[in-house]
Amino acid sequence: MSHHLPSDASYLRELALAGVPAYVGLLGPEARRSRLAQELGPVAEELRFRMRGPVGIDIGAVTPEGIALAIVSQIHAWLAGRSDVERSTLAQPSMPLAQPSML
C-alpha cells in the first residue's frame, strides 16, 4: 500500500480480479479502509473476506516493534484457521476482542 488512495485502489482492484492472494493487510485507520471500499465499488465484495484493515490484532501496540508483532500475530492466527481473532475486514467494523474474564 502507498499513501496515494487512487493507486491503492488500482492495486486492490487488480488483486480482487486476480483472486490472489488469500490474505491482504491494509495499514492505516478504518476510515481509509472505508474510503478504499467506496473507491472500489462492487469490486470491494471480491476482497471482503481477504482484506484485513487495519491489519493486526489490537494489542495496544504503538511502537514499530509492537505493530509488527500485532500484524505477525494476526497472520499466524489466520494461517492456523483462528478467525475469532480477526480485528476487522473490509466490509465489517472492528470486532471486539474477548475480555480476560471471558477467557
Side-chain angles (χ1 to χ4, degrees):
M1 305 306 317
S2 70
H3 292 282
H4 188 247
L5 191 71
S7 293
D8 290 346
S10 177
Y11 306 146
L12 290 172
R13 188 171 288 106
E14 292 299 319
L15 290 175
L17 298 175
V20 292
Y23 183 101
V24 178
L26 178 63
L27 293 170
E30 290 181 34
R32 188 169 195 285
R33 180 192 71 206
S34 295
R35 287 186 8 232
L36 278 168
Q38 289 176 341
E39 182 85 18
L40 290 169
V43 175
E45 186 63 27
E46 297 294 324
L47 292 169
R48 182 176 176 194
F49 296 106
R50 294 188 279 155
M51 179 66 74
R52 307 299 183 269
V55 67
I57 296 172
D58 186 0
I59 60 172
V62 293
T63 64
E65 297 85 358
I67 293 168
L69 178 62
I71 293 169
V72 169
S73 296
Q74 186 180 50
I75 293 169
H76 179 79
W78 180 81
L79 289 169
R82 296 293 308 268
S83 62
D84 57 328
V85 296
E86 295 296 329
R87 179 175 183 162
S88 61
T89 64
L90 184 64
Q92 297 174 328
S94 293
M95 299 169 65
L97 297 176
Q99 298 297 319
S101 61
M102 298 171 69
L103 298 176

